[in-house]
Amino acid sequence: MFKEKPTEWIAHDRKLRPYLWSHRILGVTGTITSLLVTAVLIFTPTGRQLEAAALTYFHSSLGQWIYFFGTLALVMKLISLPLSMASHEIEWKFGLAKQKWGSWFGDQLKTLLLGAVLGGFVLVILRLSLDWFPTYWWVFCGTFLILFSILLAQLAPVLLIPLFFKMKPMEPSPLKDRLLELCRRFKIEVKEVYHLGLGEKTEKGNAAFMGLGRTKRIVIGDTLYEKFTPDEVEAVFAHELGHQVHNDLWKGIALSAISIFVGFGVAQWLTRAYVLPRWGAEITSPFGFLLFFVTLSIVQMPLGVVQAVYSRTREWAADEFADVKTSLAKPLGEALERLTYQNFGRFFPNPVMAFLTHSHPAPGRRILRLRAPK
Ligand SMILES: [Zn+2]
């Protein structure tokens, strides 16, 4: 069904090896480090000692939780900082990053503060829900997390993204008119096309729909529309429009809602039945809830694979939309090929890793399908 793999693609994938290996080594180091930290916390007295400190310093359970999990989050961040720095260094070395260290550290600090505010808020709700609904707290928390993520998706383009990138309405241009016209044709309501200033930080190109309801907008990275032909930008956009027409955002939210409820339900049952008795802990104590978190992350691994598989079916459908409904298969294939070169992606990534973790099908397969004779 597919054509032969082009030799330039194979050569590109091979040339990327040093780059990919550098990142892979960092990734594995990061995973081993967080596994070690978790093991030290739960299999040595360290976690209990941190909890004892929290109980001495704070009388209220909220204070104890914030102290306990805040300290853990900060320690994790400090341990992973050298790895993030090395990762940025690799992006520099291969000419993909353009962001200077000062601005990079600024972004790290902003991420930390944002995480503290959002994470702190979620933590308070988790703790309170254990008092409010001792048996069904996880149903309440699951519902809260889903609604909260919908709210964040809505606020992202107005509050979160502008913290890191310049976003402004795109100057009037024939390209902008074409994008809005395409939306009208498929009855997708969008008020504005935004320019996203990715170029001062990275060479990687991107385009997306962002926001929900009133905040919904088209966002095109300057790295995309300044380097690609209008046909290619329109084709990449047509793929994004396919997601909109298919309601993929809501389908994705529905699937993560299922995953959250299944994950929370199974993890809280396992924690109560086996984990807490084994450690002699209560779920309302910081250490007991840490055990729940660890159990939850194990339970969610297979659910993550299900989400990746589902996401890839939606990507195929969006490509199909660009191909059949807008006849932009050719420029989409061109754009995907250039993006894969530009973003240092691989045309044919490792099939096992791709199956388990990738949200998108291999670019090589997508391009060959778009180019296949109809
Ligand atoms: Zn997509």
Side-chain angles (χ1 to χ4, degrees):
M1 179 169 123
F2 293 135
K3 284 187 258 174
E4 290 270 305
K5 295 177 181 177
T7 45
E8 316 87 77
W9 291 2
I10 310 284
H12 165 82
D13 282 6
R14 192 164 299 145
K15 218 178 70 197
L16 280 188
R17 273 182 199 163
Y19 169 77
L20 293 167
W21 269 105
S22 314
H23 274 305
R24 211 169 282 156
I25 289 166
L26 288 180
V28 171
T29 313
T31 311
I32 293 176
T33 314
S34 44
L35 283 176
L36 278 177
V37 173
T38 313
V40 166
L41 281 171
I42 61 180
F43 294 113
T44 75
T46 317
R48 293 287 199 179
Q49 283 162 352
L50 183 63
E51 183 181 66
L55 265 54
T56 337
Y57 299 145
F58 295 89
H59 290 298
S60 79
S61 58
L62 280 183
Q64 293 162 359
W65 273 47
I66 290 174
Y67 177 83
F68 182 85
F69 288 104
T71 309
L72 285 188
L74 202 60
V75 168
M76 285 292 196
K77 181 78 186 171
L78 285 177
I79 291 178
S80 67
L81 190 64
L83 296 174
S84 312
M85 287 169 67
S87 172
H88 186 59
E89 186 67 39
I90 293 168
E91 294 289 297
W92 257 105
K93 199 176 125 198
F94 287 90
L96 281 169
K98 287 204 254 171
Q99 195 178 15
K100 298 264 160 57
W101 282 109
S103 141
W104 185 85
F105 274 109
D107 278 1
Q108 296 292 313
L109 195 63
K110 278 190 247 176
T111 317
L112 187 69
L113 293 176
L114 198 62
V117 173
L118 297 179
F121 177 60
V122 171
L123 195 65
V124 167
I125 299 289
L126 286 175
R127 180 61 192 89
L128 290 177
S129 70
L130 285 164
D131 287 341
W132 294 338
F133 313 98
T135 314
Y136 291 105
W137 63 273
W138 57 278
V139 179
F140 174 83
C141 285
T143 314
F144 162 77
L145 284 177
I146 293 154
L147 295 178
F148 191 55
S149 64
I150 294 174
L151 180 72
L152 283 186
Q154 194 161 21
L155 293 181
V158 275
L159 273 186
L160 305 181
I161 307 289
L163 287 175
F164 299 94
F165 297 100
K166 283 196 194 95
M167 193 144 93
K168 56 173 197 237
M170 211 183 204
E171 301 291 325
S173 69
L175 173 67
K176 184 173 177 176
D177 292 340
R178 277 165 75 174
L179 301 184
L180 288 171
E181 174 53 34
L182 210 55
C183 288
R184 267 192 295 275
R185 212 173 111 199
F186 292 95
K187 302 196 171 46
I188 296 295
E189 217 175 296
V190 160
K191 289 189 188 65
E192 185 57 275
V193 182
Y194 282 82
H195 145 110
L196 187 65
L198 296 173
E200 54 182 18
K201 292 188 180 176
T202 174
E203 294 287 348
K204 297 186 177 184
N206 222 332
F209 271 90
M210 281 182 190
L212 276 171
R214 273 194 302 169
T215 64
K216 184 150 85 185
R217 58 191 65 187
I218 302 165
V219 178
I220 308 276
D222 50 0
T223 40
L224 187 74
Y225 74 78
E226 283 170 5
K227 290 184 194 168
F228 287 64
T229 68
D231 279 353
E232 287 168 344
V233 178
E234 192 186 14
V236 170
F237 175 71
H239 166 97
E240 296 301 324
L241 189 67
H243 286 307
Q244 289 288 318
V245 172
H246 300 149
N247 273 318
D248 285 342
L249 185 61
W250 287 107
K251 289 177 184 164
I253 290 174
L255 185 66
S256 44
I258 296 172
S259 155
I260 285 177
F261 282 123
V262 172
F264 266 63
V266 173
Q268 70 88 29
W269 170 72
L270 285 174
T271 313
R272 273 191 201 280
Y274 301 103
V275 184
L276 292 173
R278 157 84 175 72
W279 268 270
E282 292 292 325
I283 192 130
T284 46
S285 75
F287 183 73
F289 209 77
L290 174 69
L291 293 172
F292 166 77
F293 270 138
V294 175
T295 314
L296 180 66
S297 38
I298 297 168
V299 170
Q300 288 212 301
M301 280 175 196
L303 295 171
V305 178
V306 174
Q307 277 179 305
V309 171
Y310 178 73
S311 165
R312 291 196 296 272
T313 67
R314 303 322 303 152
E315 294 304 328
W316 283 122
D319 277 356
E320 183 82 13
F321 173 88
D323 182 352
V324 177
K325 302 278 180 183
T326 67
S327 315
L328 289 163
K330 191 170 178 292
L332 182 56
E334 306 290 313
L336 280 178
E337 184 171 23
R338 287 182 61 185
L339 277 172
T340 308
Y341 282 122
Q342 179 180 319
N343 295 358
F344 275 33
R346 264 190 307 175
F347 286 97
F348 296 100
N350 176 300
V352 179
M353 283 311 284
F355 175 80
L356 292 176
T357 60
H358 288 192
S359 59
H360 287 63
R365 292 179 57 209
R366 292 176 64 191
I367 302 166
L368 288 178
R369 197 174 87 158
L370 288 163
R371 289 181 182 165
K374 307 282 161 358

